[in-house]
Amino acid sequence: MKKILLPGSALTLFFLALPALAFSPVGEDIAYNVNGEDFLGYFITGGENAKGSVLIIHDWDGLDDYERQRADMLASEGYDVFAVDLYGEGNRPQAMEEKRAATNRLYQDRERMRALTLGGLAQAREQGAAEQTVIMGYCFGGAVALEIARSGEADSIAAYTSFHGGLTTPDGQSYSSETAPIFIAHGGADSSVSLDDVATLAEELETSGVTYEIGIYSGAPHAFSVFGSDAYHERADQRSWDTFNVWLEEML
């Protein structure tokens, strides 16, 4: 019988309490190469009979323990998980200007953004990750997940997910009716990505015939799921995470 993560479950409460404790990754960092450049991802298996795979795309800080912890949480539910690195090994920007520059480089070079994401997906499968995959991301990573969704360039993708990510569709791009289902988790008090952006995306997906689900969490600001941050919103994090786990059960 499949296991569904229920609201208030002991497992959820345990992992959501981890930020107050020392976090020790269970998986391993994976050095890999894309088009002659070195990257450092993170892989953890869900076990011999993994239900499927999740590809995590980091926020504008780059891959760090936040994505590693989310990967470990998903692996405990039976999924193979690979967290990609889109910045390059050793490039983990700290200052806001550095983070903005790192994301802008990829926003302005969408071909590179897609190539590095697909390179991470290929590496996940080289590590033995299950073929059927959900691509998800946080903030900047959510925008990247939707970029891949619109491109249709990834194969064996069961669904896409964005947590408090950018939702705007660039000029010249659109969603195909063949796009895999999309789940959007958005904070109702997000001052970076507006509710108008959410409505516009919903209209685009509806017009294109894409299956989608949007969760809007009242009072939750941008980056509401980031443990230990000023933006962290416990109710929105728990509810969106529970919904995402049910979504995974349905898609994989």
Side-chain angles (χ1 to χ4, degrees), residues 119-137:
L121 178 61
Q123 184 59 219
R125 290 167 178 169
E126 282 189 30
Q127 295 299 319
E131 190 78 8
Q132 282 295 308
T133 304
V134 169
I135 296 180
M136 61 94 79

Side-chain angles (χ1 to χ4, degrees), residues 89-107:
E89 185 172 1
N91 182 12
R92 299 295 180 265
Q94 300 298 313
M96 185 172 295
E97 294 79 8
E98 295 172 337
K99 296 173 186 178
R100 186 174 290 114
T103 56
N104 283 343
R105 180 187 181 192
L106 292 171
Y107 280 133

